[in-house]
Every structure is written in structure tokens, then in C-alpha cells.
């Protein structure tokens, strides 16, 4: 009976990468999901970029923040767009077929690159090795999604809902990034940081993270593949942990009037 129940439950799950290699990839994704939140909420292990970047030292090669963010997003864009273009112009049998999820990945990382180049205003520096490491991880995630995502069924609930989530996520993320970029135009000359306002910043510390996760959920929904859902869960663990650290940082820098102690981390009214 237990065997039949397990078989029934397994049959309801999206497909997963098969074989020993697939088990290793899935295991790594599960570990990333379980550990990223605690790593990002720990000041000793949080990813050291943006406001958490360390002081420059001889032991760590630091580069301009814009260059570092380019290194983070460019490899994933190159990988995903190259796989798409090669499948379009060649007959190589092992190349993944075109999928809506793969196209969404291209759009996501192209948007992030354009924001880095033309929207965000940076100061400070970031570790070159950290940027390369995150960029490598994003590139692997992009290759995984492009390789295993299932073709979308036009008109299906998963495709419709997933596409809507992706568009909402991208639009909301872009809008709140725009609000953040305007802070550097309005802040006083004697202040390095100003409390963000507008949009959902009145409710949570990191609405841009919330919308980014909505976009990743949309990609997972149209992909209909378990390992892509695990990309979403690992991103959720990472960004929610980082949201906690960001909110704590904001409380330490801004007055209670500018940043109430009741303001949530990433999900309005809840968390």
C-alpha cells in the first residue's frame, strides 16, 4: 500500500533529471535551498556585495560595482542566448529545443544587463572572485533551465499563469529598481544612503526581490520541470535571507520615522 501511494505521489510531480548525474544536481539544489537563507542572514557568510561589500584589501581584488554586476549577469545571458541561437541555425542533435522558459531566461538576464548599464547608479567596489562565482552559478542555472524545460502548451493554465507571473515579476522588479536609482538623484550631499520610498517600499524592505521571485516562479511554472522549480526555491531561500539582512541594515541606518521597526522583509504584512 505504501509502495503504491509513493508511486502515485511521484507520478504527480513534474519530471526530474534522471540518472546519477541528475540525482547529484537535484541534491545540490536541495542543499542550496536548505542552506542559503541561513547563510545570507549571517553577517559572517552573507554575500559581500552592494551594502555588504568589505573594505578593499590586498588579499581581495576589488573591481567597480558596475563591472562586478556585469560579470554576474553577462555569462547567463551569453549561455542562454547562445543555446537558443545555435538551435536555430544548426542541426546539432544534443542542443535543447526552444522553450518558453528558455526565452524567459534570456529576457530576464538581458533586462538585468540593461539595468546595470543604463539604470543603476553605483558607488563602491565588489570582489572580483565573488562576481565571477555568482556569474558562474547563474550561467549553470540558465543552461539547466534551457536544457530541461518542457515545451509550453499554448493556452494551458500553466503557460497562461506562468507568463502572467513572469511579466508581473519583471515589471515590478524594474519599477522598484527605478525607484532605487532615483535615490541618488534626490539624496542630500552629506548622506550616503537615503531610505527608499514609493511602490511597496512602504511595506517591505526589498520589493524588488519579491518581484524577482515572482518572475522566477513564472519561469518554473511554464517549464513544468522539477529541477527548474528547485532553481526557484533556491533563489527564494537566497533572496529572502538577503531581505532579512537588508531590513536589519536599514533599521540600523535610518530613524524609526524613516524606517519603522514593523516594516516587513519581503512579503507585505507577512514576512
Amino acid at each position: 500500500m505504501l509502495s503504491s501511494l509513493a508511486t502515485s505521489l511521484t507520478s504527480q510531480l513534474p519530471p526530474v533529471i534522471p540518472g546519477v548525474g541528475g540525482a547529484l544536481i537535484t541534491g545540490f539544489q536541495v542543499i542550496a535551498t536548505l542552506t542559503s537563507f541561513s547563510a545570507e542572514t549571517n553577517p559572517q557568510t552573507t554575500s559581500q556585495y552592494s551594502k555588504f561589500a568589505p573594505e578593499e584589501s590586498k588579499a581581495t581584488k576589488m573591481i567597480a560595482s558596475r563591472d562586478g554586476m556585469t560579470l554576474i549577469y553577462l555569462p547567463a545571458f551569453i549561455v542562454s542566448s547562445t543555446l537558443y541561437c545555435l538551435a536555430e541555425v544548426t542541426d546539432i542533435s544534443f542542443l535543447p529545443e526552444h522553450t518558453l522558459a528558455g526565452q524567459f531566461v534570456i529576457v530576464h538576464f538581458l533586462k538585468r544587463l540593461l539595468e546595470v548599464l543604463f539604470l543603476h547608479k553605483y558607488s563602491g567596489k565588489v570582489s572580483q572572485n565573488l562576481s565571477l562565482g555568482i556569474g558562474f552559478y547563474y550561467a549553470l542555472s540558465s543552461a539547466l533551465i534551457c536544457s530541461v524545460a518542457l515545451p509550453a502548451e499554448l493556452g494551458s493554465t500553466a503557460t497562461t499563469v506562468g507568463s502572467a507571473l513572469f511579466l508581473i515579476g519583471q515589471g515590478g522588479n524594474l519599477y522598484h529598481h527605478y525607484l532605487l536609482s532615483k535615490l541618488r538623484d534626490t539624496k542630500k550631499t552629506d548622506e550616503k544612503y537615503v531610505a527608499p520610498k514609493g511602490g511597496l517600499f512602504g511595506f517591505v524592505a526589498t520589493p524588488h526581490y519579491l518581484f524577482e521571485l515572482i518572475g522566477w516562479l513564472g519561469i518554473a511554472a511554464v517549464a513544468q520541470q522539477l529541477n527548474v522549480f528547485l532553481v526557484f526555491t533556491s533563489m527564494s531561500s537566497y533572496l529572502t535571507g538577503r531581505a532579512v539582512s537588508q531590513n536589519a541594515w536599514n533599521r540600523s541606518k535610518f530613524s524609526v520615522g524613516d524606517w519603522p521597526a514593523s516594516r516587513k522583509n519581503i512579503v507585505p504584512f507577512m514576512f
Side-chain angles (χ1 to χ4, degrees):
M1 181 176 178
L2 290 177
S3 177
S4 62
L5 179 60
T7 302
S8 176
L9 290 174
T10 303
S11 66
Q12 301 301 314
L13 293 174
V16 65
I17 301 173
V20 175
L24 290 174
I25 292 172
T26 303
F28 174 80
Q29 290 182 291
V30 170
I31 292 172
T33 298
L34 295 176
T35 61
S36 293
F37 178 85
S38 59
E40 288 304 315
T41 55
N42 184 344
Q44 302 301 316
T45 57
T46 188
S47 298
Q48 296 184 331
Y49 64 89
S50 186
K51 295 177 178 67
F52 305 104
E55 296 294 329
E56 189 168 4
S57 68
K58 293 181 179 180
T60 303
K61 182 176 182 179
M62 307 294 285
I63 58 176
S65 291
R66 191 182 306 277
D67 294 337
M69 300 309 288
T70 300
L71 287 177
I72 286 175
Y73 297 119
L74 183 59
F77 173 71
I78 291 175
V79 167
S80 55
S81 57
T82 298
L83 288 173
Y84 184 91
C85 292
L86 285 177
E88 186 74 24
V89 300
T90 69
D91 295 323
I92 302 175
S93 59
F94 61 80
L95 287 174
E97 60 183 311
H98 291 165
T99 62
L100 185 59
Q103 293 167 350
F104 282 173
V105 168
I106 295 173
V107 171
H108 171 75
F109 284 108
L110 175 60
K111 167 187 164 293
R112 298 298 283 121
L113 275 174
L114 293 175
E115 288 175 340
V116 168
L117 296 174
F118 302 110
L119 178 63
H120 294 308
K121 298 177 177 66
Y122 294 100
S123 62
K125 296 186 176 183
V126 64
S127 163
Q128 177 177 277
N129 289 339
L130 176 66
S131 297
L132 289 171
I134 297 175
F136 181 69
Y137 175 79
Y138 280 171
L140 289 180
S141 297
S142 297
L144 183 148
I145 294 171
C146 293
S147 299
V148 304
L150 300 181
E153 297 181 18
L154 296 181
S156 69
T157 300
T159 300
T160 302
V161 173
S163 298
L165 288 172
F166 179 76
L167 292 174
I168 292 169
Q170 296 300 306
N173 179 260
L174 174 61
Y175 174 65
H176 287 90
H177 280 165
Y178 167 77
L179 293 178
L180 288 173
S181 73
K182 301 306 290 182
L183 293 177
R184 293 185 181 275
D185 295 335
T186 59
K187 69 182 182 181
K188 299 176 184 177
T189 56
D190 60 341
E191 293 178 332
K192 187 174 182 180
Y193 296 107
V194 175
K197 293 180 175 62
L200 293 185
F201 279 113
F203 301 92
V204 295
T206 56
H208 47 312
Y209 290 173
L210 172 63
F211 282 103
E212 180 164 350
L213 290 178
I214 291 173
W216 281 111
L217 180 58
I219 292 174
V222 300
Q224 288 294 289
Q225 207 277 345
L226 187 59
N227 294 97
V228 183
F229 277 98
L230 288 173
V231 171
F232 164 70
T233 60
S234 61
M235 290 284 188
S236 297
S237 179
Y238 170 70
L239 289 179
T240 53
R242 198 159 180 85
V244 171
S245 294
Q246 180 65 64
N247 203 10
W249 188 93
N250 287 356
R251 288 172 183 150
S252 72
K253 292 294 181 181
F254 306 130
S255 68
V256 175
D258 285 335
W259 203 264
S262 60
R263 190 160 295 172
K264 300 301 183 182
N265 300 307
I266 188 170
V267 182
F269 311 112
M270 295 178 63
F271 175 74

